[in-house]
């Protein structure tokens, strides 16, 4: 399954950590789906193949992946968000993945850069000020002033 709104445009899965918990060996996996992917069938297939190799091991995925998030925007919003809009959808954790299943249409945009989760992560004060201007502009579009 591919969706060019996302980068990368296909499902990815990686093992983020391996831990020993009592007698259990736990692989913390990160699956990033794209719209149209039947993740339940994919997880079932992965488990069936793993169980064929490891017959005396309890294998499971305790949590479903969060849904990939993409929202088509009206041209006025795209123009207002120019330079601040994440040009790709998100197939990773973001609050947008929590809101989307509730029927909301989240937008991933804001000040700063996408260089997150790194040593010395920070945002410049000027970027926060630009963020305030951006949110004010969006509020004006929504409320209409």
């Amino acid at each position: 399954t591919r969706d060019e709104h996302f980068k990368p445009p296909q499902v990815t899965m990686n093992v983020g950590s391996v831990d020993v918990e009592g007698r259990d060996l736990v692989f913390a996996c990160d699956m990033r789906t794209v719209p149209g992917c039947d993740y339940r069938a994919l997880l079932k297939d992965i488990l069936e193949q793993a169980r064929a190799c490891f017959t005396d091991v309890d294998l499971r995925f305790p949590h479903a992946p969060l849904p990939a998030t993409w929202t088509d925007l009206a041209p006025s919003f795209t123009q207002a968000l120019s330079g601040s809009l994440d040009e790709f959808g998100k197939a990773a954790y973001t609050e947008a993945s929590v809101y989307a299943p509730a029927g909301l249409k989240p937008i991933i945009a804001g000040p700063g850069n996408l260089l997150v989760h790194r040593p010395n992560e920070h945002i410049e004060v000027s970027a926060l000020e630009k963020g305030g201007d951006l949110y004010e502009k969006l509020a004006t579009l929504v409320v209409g002033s």
Side-chain angles (χ1 to χ4, degrees), residues 68-145:
T69 303
W70 173 262
T71 301
D72 286 315
L73 300 174
S76 58
F77 279 93
T78 303
Q79 183 178 5
L81 292 167
S82 178
S84 298
L85 182 63
D86 189 345
E87 63 181 300
F88 293 99
K90 281 292 176 215
Y93 180 79
T94 172
E95 287 81 0
S97 296
V98 176
Y99 297 135
L104 300 172
K105 295 186 177 194
I107 299 170
I108 302 169
N113 56 47
L114 296 177
L115 301 175
V116 296
H117 309 307
R118 291 175 171 75
N120 303 315
E121 176 181 341
H122 69 282
I123 187 167
E124 300 291 332
V125 171
S126 61
L128 288 174
E129 292 168 345
K130 286 173 68 176
D133 295 342
L134 171 69
Y135 302 140
E136 188 175 316
K137 189 186 302 184
L138 286 173
T140 301
L141 277 172
V142 171
V143 175
S145 133

